[in-house]
Amino acid sequence: MDESRPANFCQACAIRNRAICADLDEREIDALNAIGRRRSLIAGEQLLWEGNEAMLVANVVEGVLKLSSSTADGKEQILGLAYPSDFLGRPFGETTPFGAEALTDSLVCVFNRTDFDRFAREHPRLEHKLLERTLSELDRTRRWMLLLGRMNAEQRIATFLLDLSDRMPERGCSPERTAEALPLPLSRQQIADILGLTIETVSRQLTKLRASAVIDLPSRREVRIRDRKALSELAG
Amino acid sequence: MIHARSHPSPSEDLLQRLTTLLALRDIPTRILDSAFQSLPLDRGSSSLVEGEQDAIVFVLRGACKLVAHVPPDREQILSFSFEGDILFAPADGSHALTVVAVEDSEVLRFDAGVLSALAASEPKLSMLLLERAVRSLGRSREKAVALGRKTAPERVADFLLSMAGRIGVQEGDTQVLILPMSRRDIADSLGLTIETVSRQFGELRTAGLIATSGRSQVRILDREALHARSARSVSAGRNISRI
């Protein structure tokens, strides 16, 4: 774990225009910067523990994290993935409602929750962004609910790939997003765990999508969406 | 199928009721006046919320369900909303969403963009929306865990506890719920069949955890045992008291 606070890390931040701080002016950014710090996480490192006192909230700057919750007898359910510019943690609450673990090496900017809450109350523009974020997170969680409750294996895989391509930040400036291979930040086993499928089913479904020319799999850790329309139809 | 009737402006009275219900009395109702649509919904009638704009729906009276339609012919009830609740319905969801009244209801529908712009100058309204949205998100996550990992008995116990927290009335040592939704709605919400839901209610009765009367009344006799049976996650039901 590496913690540092250079003069103002917000100035060169890659997600500055997409994260909850996007609407803040320079003075507000400076004030927010003063209560935050950057933190690197290595793959497998836990950032938030479910049920713990909510000490911090964070923005994802780089990497992918998984959010999960466990039943009383310890069965874990993954609630979704957090990508760059996503906000993690529960503002205005005393306990953390889910665990967050880095799936890849990641960079986050973290805030002490009480500092952050105070800042949000004093800065309506941030509070407003937070509302927008919460509503899109609600939308995503409901879709996740549909996936877990009502979708078959094919629909699950298709939904996952579409979500991944929508949410992974663009690399380079290729205008043809469909032609570009997306880094697949997760192993087959991780995908299986996330979607509530077996690893065999995940592999079989991916192979099937490749055989029907909907996707391409240039390597174990890359996927290229060749026919987005077909994939959307499969997702239902 | 849209049965909702839309009235342009018996507004003052409705908005008074809304601000009273939400404890937002110091917000001048006139700022909300132009932004809403009043929709009386008879039991079973529906209103398509998906459209050009995200909607924020306030339930003034009654109870509604938010239903998602999954091709080819499956439905998932995403949430139930009761008097005083705020229902957030996005426009750009990939699945058609419908709000259906499970009993005679009255709702106010706001365009989310307009309401959120108003909230920018009304910190209390803004805070209320944020807190309710966070609460809805928490419930949705709990539900995702239930659908993904819980057994039928756990889901039904979890459902009853959640309903007790929202619409339960304390009577001595017990809590009484009047469930406005049908067994089929409960089944569609929990991803179970009606038969399984009915069997689980039967088992909970036999075990002395609940007592039922008619189709809709449930009395929770042993909350602790119900909790143990629900496999609720460590964070479930926390954070609620603050908001």
Side-chain angles (χ1 to χ4, degrees):
Chain A
M1 180 167 65
D2 160 52
E3 294 185 8
S4 59
R5 186 190 291 176
N8 185 339
F9 53 76
C10 297
Q11 300 296 352
C13 181
I15 56 154
R16 166 84 167 80
N17 296 320
R18 291 181 288 134
I20 49 156
C21 36
D23 288 349
L24 301 179
D25 64 29
E26 286 306 316
R27 240 184 48 220
E28 291 170 318
I29 281 287
D30 285 347
L32 187 62
N33 181 270
I35 60 169
R37 65 194 154 81
R38 288 226 157 169
R39 181 169 155 187
S40 306
L41 302 167
I42 54 167
E45 196 174 341
Q46 191 93 6
L47 176 68
L48 301 171
W49 279 265
E50 181 182 16
N52 271 20
E53 193 184 343
M55 298 293 283
L56 53 86
V57 295
N59 284 312
V60 182
V61 181
E62 289 168 22
V64 181
L65 291 90
K66 72 166 183 188
L67 314 181
S68 67
S69 177
S70 298
T71 63
D73 50 352
K75 283 180 283 184
E76 182 193 50
Q77 175 61 53
I78 291 166
L79 295 170
L81 300 178
Y83 296 94
S85 86
D86 280 352
F87 178 78
L88 293 171
R90 189 194 192 290
F92 313 113
E94 273 139 19
T95 55
T96 303
F98 52 79
E101 179 190 318
L103 288 174
T104 64
D105 289 350
S106 304
L107 180 64
V108 291
C109 71
V110 297
F111 302 90
N112 174 304
R113 187 188 55 85
T114 49
D115 291 348
F116 184 86
D117 285 358
R118 192 177 321 115
F119 188 91
R121 284 178 202 272
E122 288 164 3
H123 296 83
R125 274 185 288 205
L126 183 76
E127 200 175 77
H128 188 250
K129 271 279 172 215
L130 218 43
L131 176 63
E132 281 180 11
R133 283 272 146 182
T134 307
L135 293 181
S136 58
E137 191 61 35
L138 179 61
D139 190 26
R140 276 204 294 277
T141 305
R142 284 169 172 168
R143 271 186 273 151
W144 202 254
M145 207 192 281
L146 284 184
L147 181 148
L148 294 169
R150 289 288 183 270
M151 289 186 188
N152 60 30
E154 185 178 60
Q155 289 173 315
R156 289 182 192 209
I157 290 281
T159 301
F160 168 75
L161 291 175
L162 287 171
D163 194 49
L164 185 77
S165 82
D166 288 342
R167 311 215 37 235
M168 281 299 275
E170 285 184 62
R171 296 182 306 172
C173 34
S174 159
E176 285 287 320
R177 284 221 77 188
T178 48
E180 195 187 355
L182 290 162
L184 197 54
L186 311 167
S187 69
R188 301 288 187 270
Q189 183 62 57
Q190 285 172 320
I191 296 173
D193 289 345
I194 286 169
L195 298 178
L197 301 171
T198 63
I199 186 168
E200 294 77 15
T201 303
V202 170
S203 298
R204 199 164 48 240
Q205 290 294 335
L206 287 173
T207 307
K208 204 171 122 194
L209 288 173
R210 183 170 57 180
S212 50
V214 176
I215 63 165
D216 208 0
L217 298 164
S219 72
R220 292 289 290 172
R221 286 304 184 113
E222 277 181 308
V223 61
R224 178 181 295 126
I225 294 174
R226 296 179 61 188
D227 187 345
R228 204 181 163 81
K229 190 160 166 282
L231 196 60
S232 303
E233 273 162 21
L234 290 174
Chain B
M1 253 205 337
I2 302 179
H3 301 296
R5 288 157 284 150
S6 170
H7 297 295
S9 81
S11 56
E12 192 60 18
D13 168 57
L14 287 170
L15 290 172
Q16 284 294 351
R17 283 168 58 203
L18 176 70
T19 51
T20 305
L21 193 61
L22 299 172
L24 287 172
R25 276 183 215 83
D26 20 346
I27 291 200
T29 53
R30 67 187 149 69
I31 70 158
L32 299 172
D33 196 30
S34 57
F36 77 95
Q37 198 186 5
S38 144
L39 302 171
L41 294 173
D42 297 336
R43 178 168 180 275
S45 77
S46 64
S47 140
L48 199 67
V49 290
E50 201 191 32
E52 298 286 295
Q53 303 292 331
D54 291 350
I56 297 181
V57 179
F58 293 86
V59 182
L60 272 186
R61 180 174 63 83
C64 300
K65 58 183 178 182
L66 179 64
V67 186
H69 305 272
V70 185
D73 55 3
R74 283 170 294 178
E75 284 191 359
Q76 173 71 48
I77 294 179
L78 296 174
S79 62
F80 292 107
S81 305
F82 306 103
E83 182 177 304
D85 281 349
I86 302 176
L87 198 162
F88 300 93
D92 62 347
S94 44
H95 299 273
L97 295 178
T98 315
V99 175
V100 181
V102 297
E103 62 182 15
D104 290 350
S105 302
E106 228 180 325
V107 304
L108 298 185
R109 179 196 183 282
F110 286 80
D111 182 301
V114 175
L115 191 66
S116 143
L118 290 173
S121 56
E122 289 292 340
K124 270 187 131 175
L125 179 59
S126 157
M127 197 63 200
L128 176 84
L129 291 176
L130 180 55
E131 284 175 343
R132 295 297 189 89
V134 167
R135 200 193 295 189
S136 293
L137 177 57
R139 278 203 292 264
S140 291
R141 285 180 167 142
E142 275 304 311
K143 184 99 165 277
V145 174
L147 291 173
R149 286 290 181 266
K150 289 191 180 180
T151 62
E154 289 169 348
R155 289 184 205 188
V156 172
D158 196 21
F159 170 80
L160 288 173
L161 280 176
S162 164
M163 288 300 134
R166 298 177 67 191
I167 54 170
V169 176
Q170 197 71 32
E171 278 185 17
D173 289 344
T174 65
Q175 254 180 326
V176 176
L177 315 175
I178 308 293
L179 294 175
M181 69 291 281
S182 66
R183 294 287 187 268
R184 155 146 233 126
D185 286 337
I186 298 174
D188 285 348
S189 161
L190 300 179
L192 300 172
T193 62
I194 303 180
E195 293 72 24
T196 303
V197 170
S198 297
R199 195 163 53 242
Q200 287 305 319
F201 270 74
E203 283 185 18
L204 291 171
R205 252 192 324 259
T206 310
L209 273 57
I210 64 168
T212 57
S213 165
R215 293 289 300 161
S216 57
Q217 185 185 301
V218 178
R219 185 180 294 270
I220 294 177
L221 304 172
D222 189 343
R223 201 186 152 78
E224 255 171 60
L226 200 58
H227 199 278
R229 201 180 164 108
S230 73
R232 293 202 127 191
S233 60
V234 283
S235 60
R238 310 266 287 273
N239 282 323
I240 299 296
S241 58
R242 259 179 63 88
I243 52 181

